[in-house]
């Protein structure tokens, strides 16, 4: 299969592109699109064949539900129940943006059962990325769209990541700028009381409590088993993993530096640029997550890029020190914990 590359931003005939994309979706084709979180692999959420192709292209387990992306909330009227006042407040405050809500699905909602992985709920989101919103607006199609990568690997935040994983496997990649946030959306299960953050993201528990009140939401504390169906992406399976082993070294930076002096370019180190002078003479590949541990926004944006760079450089193992958990970095630690090989 030859993958078509389209850059809407540089086109002088955007109307023709949107018509073409609508036709492609009607023909069950897959289109990788940018969002503010990560790139998504999109298809018409109402078509079984199209949704099935998403799972095939990614190598994604069929019990891992997909997120339905939409342009305006009225499109959800016949799809899910969003009548709860808490849901309305969240939607008003955080959409468009990096928030996904799990809601009870309506009967005969026309969404492919493959997208919901057989659950009686649907995960829905209104992205804020300009290109994604224009595609959703002009095509008027509800799009199922997980991350546009090989399942289990670091999510794609750049066009080059999508091209590396899916060129020749899907019909279209939309070329656009790097994702703004770099981690997937916050997923909130609104079918429970209190609400449950099934997957942490840019929008934190504290952000939600500002809108809904203290105690209105909690982090998911369920332990997924091999037999239990996940209610949201990223819960059950190992995700976000580089080819190399990602290892947390439980000691001081000085001791890790001494250990790494015995290594070579087949080894990587993730640290902060505050430590640049200390690690500049090491014989390993060094990459900086951010200026320092307090810069969570920069860390989130850089994480997947760094893991993919290590893959490109064919390192065998990657070391890093533990990161102390704070209320701001829950999403970052969630992704790292799923990527770590051993501790």
């Amino acid at each position: 299969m030859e993958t078509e590359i389209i850059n809407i931003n540089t086109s002088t005939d955007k109307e023709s592109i949107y018509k073409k994309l609508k036709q492609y979706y009607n023909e069950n084709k897959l289109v990788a699109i940018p969002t503010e979180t990560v790139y998504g692999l999109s298809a018409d959420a109402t078509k079984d064949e199209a949704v099935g192709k998403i799972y095939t292209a990614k190598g994604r387990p069929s019990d891992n539900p997909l997120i339905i992306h939409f342009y305006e909330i009225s499109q959800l009227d016949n799809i899910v129940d969003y009548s709860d006042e808490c849901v309305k407040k969240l939607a008003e405050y955080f959409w468009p943006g990096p928030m996904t809500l799990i809601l009870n699905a309506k009967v005969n909602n026309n969404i492919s059962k493959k997208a919901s992985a057989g659950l009686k709920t649907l995960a829905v989101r209104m992205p804020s990325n300009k290109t994604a919103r224009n595609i959703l607006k002009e095509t008027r199609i509800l799009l199922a769209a997980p991350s546009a990568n090989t399942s289990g690997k670091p999510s794609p935040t750049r066009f080059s990541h999508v091209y590396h994983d899916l060129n020749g496997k899907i019909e279209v990649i939309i070329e656009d700028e790097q994702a703004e946030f770099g981690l997937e959306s916050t997923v909130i299960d609104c079918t429970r009381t209190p609400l449950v953050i099934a997957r942490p993201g840019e929008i934190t528990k504290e952000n939600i409590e500002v809108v809904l009140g203290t105690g209105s939401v909690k982090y998911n504390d369920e332990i997924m088993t091999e037999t239990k169906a996940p209610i949201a992406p990223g819960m059950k399976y190992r995700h976000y993993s580089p080819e190399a082993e990602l290892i947390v070294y439980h000691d001081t930076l000085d001791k890790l530096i001494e250990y790494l002096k015995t290594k070579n370019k087949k080894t990587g180190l993730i640290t902060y640029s505050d430590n640049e002078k200390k690690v500049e003479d090491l014989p390993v590949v060094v990459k900086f997550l951010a200026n320092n541990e307090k810069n969570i926004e920069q860390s989130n944006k850089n994480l997947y890029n760094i893991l993919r760079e290590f893959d490109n450089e064919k390192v065998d193992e990657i070391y890093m020190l533990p990161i102390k958990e704070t209320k701001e970095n829950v999403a970052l630690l969630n992704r790292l914990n799923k990527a770590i090989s051993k501790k």
Side-chain angles (χ1 to χ4, degrees):
M1 178 188 299
E2 184 175 349
T3 299
E4 181 179 356
I5 310 300
I6 298 175
N7 190 316
I8 299 175
N9 294 327
T10 60
S11 172
T12 57
D13 189 3
K14 293 178 174 57
E15 183 178 351
S16 293
I17 290 178
Y18 295 130
K19 288 181 179 178
K20 178 193 287 189
L21 291 177
K22 185 169 185 176
Q23 179 183 342
Y24 284 171
Y25 285 128
N26 288 334
E27 294 172 352
N28 299 320
K29 293 183 178 180
L30 303 185
V31 181
I33 63 173
T35 81
E36 72 277 19
T37 56
V38 299
Y39 270 76
L41 181 57
S42 69
D44 188 334
T46 67
K47 296 179 178 293
D48 284 344
E49 181 181 342
V51 175
K53 288 173 67 175
I54 290 177
Y55 286 97
T56 300
K58 283 177 58 68
R60 183 184 178 94
S62 60
D63 67 343
N64 203 0
L66 307 180
I67 296 172
I68 311 303
H69 294 64
F70 61 94
Y71 176 69
E72 57 187 1
I73 201 163
S74 61
Q75 291 178 284
L76 300 182
D77 289 350
N78 299 318
I79 306 300
V80 291
D81 179 4
Y82 61 95
S83 61
D84 183 86
E85 286 303 315
C86 287
V87 172
K88 290 180 179 179
K89 287 180 181 179
L90 289 175
E92 181 179 359
Y93 201 87
F94 294 113
W95 275 342
M99 176 186 73
T100 295
L101 300 183
I102 297 176
L103 302 170
N104 288 314
K106 291 191 173 181
V107 178
N108 300 322
N109 60 27
N110 206 34
I111 299 295
S112 168
K113 295 295 187 292
K114 292 182 178 180
S116 63
L119 299 174
K120 294 182 179 180
T121 56
L122 275 177
V124 295
R125 170 163 118 78
M126 182 193 289
S128 61
N129 174 274
K130 181 180 178 181
T131 301
R133 285 192 60 71
N134 284 337
I135 291 172
L136 288 161
K137 178 183 179 181
E138 298 300 328
T139 64
R140 306 304 296 180
I141 293 174
L142 294 167
L143 297 179
S147 56
N149 61 321
T150 301
S151 190
K153 297 306 176 186
S155 296
T157 60
R158 298 175 177 173
F159 162 77
S160 60
H161 300 164
V162 183
Y163 188 87
H164 177 274
D165 282 17
L166 297 178
N167 181 43
K169 298 180 182 179
I170 65 175
E171 285 82 4
V172 180
I173 302 174
I174 303 297
E175 185 176 9
D176 206 84
E177 298 177 355
Q178 179 174 343
E180 178 183 357
F181 297 121
L183 294 183
E184 298 83 357
S185 62
T186 303
V187 178
I188 308 167
D189 184 356
C190 298
T191 67
R192 312 187 200 187
T193 304
L195 307 185
V196 173
I197 297 177
R199 182 181 70 189
E202 178 73 16
I203 297 169
T204 66
K205 177 176 180 287
E206 289 71 28
N207 296 149
I208 297 166
E209 287 184 329
V210 167
V211 178
L212 300 183
T214 302
S216 58
V217 63
K218 66 176 184 176
Y219 283 111
N220 177 64
D221 55 5
E222 294 180 349
I223 299 174
M224 298 305 303
T225 67
E226 290 301 313
T227 58
K228 187 171 182 178
I231 60 170
M235 290 185 68
K236 180 176 179 181
Y237 298 97
R238 186 182 176 200
H239 281 68
Y240 325 120
S241 302
E243 296 292 336
E245 285 191 301
L246 178 58
I247 302 164
V248 174
Y249 189 88
H250 289 274
D251 214 316
T252 65
L253 177 60
D254 288 342
K255 288 189 177 181
L256 176 55
I257 288 172
E258 287 303 311
Y259 175 68
L260 292 177
K261 287 178 181 178
T262 67
K263 298 290 186 175
N264 55 35
K265 291 295 184 182
K266 287 291 184 180
T267 298
L269 169 65
I270 298 176
T271 186
Y272 298 95
S273 54
D274 278 358
N275 301 318
E276 186 171 3
K277 288 292 185 182
K278 287 187 174 183
V279 302
E280 62 183 355
D281 295 326
L282 285 176
V284 303
V285 181
V286 180
K287 297 190 183 294
F288 301 112
L289 191 59
N291 295 332
N292 54 61
E293 195 167 328
K294 293 181 180 179
N295 196 329
I296 306 303
E297 181 178 342
Q298 192 177 21
S299 296
N300 289 350
K301 193 166 186 176
N302 287 340
L303 176 62
Y304 292 147
N305 295 337
I306 285 175
L307 295 181
R308 282 182 171 269
E309 286 172 6
F310 278 128
D311 280 350
N312 292 338
E313 294 172 41
K314 307 296 183 184
V315 302
D316 294 327
E317 54 186 1
I318 306 164
Y319 287 87
M320 64 182 297
L321 293 178
I323 298 176
K324 182 180 179 180
E325 182 175 342
T326 67
K327 62 184 180 181
E328 292 85 11
N329 70 4
V330 173
L332 177 69
L333 288 177
N334 170 267
R335 305 312 193 271
L336 280 170
N337 286 335
K338 288 184 176 292
I340 287 168
S341 305
K342 56 186 178 182
K343 300 181 181 180

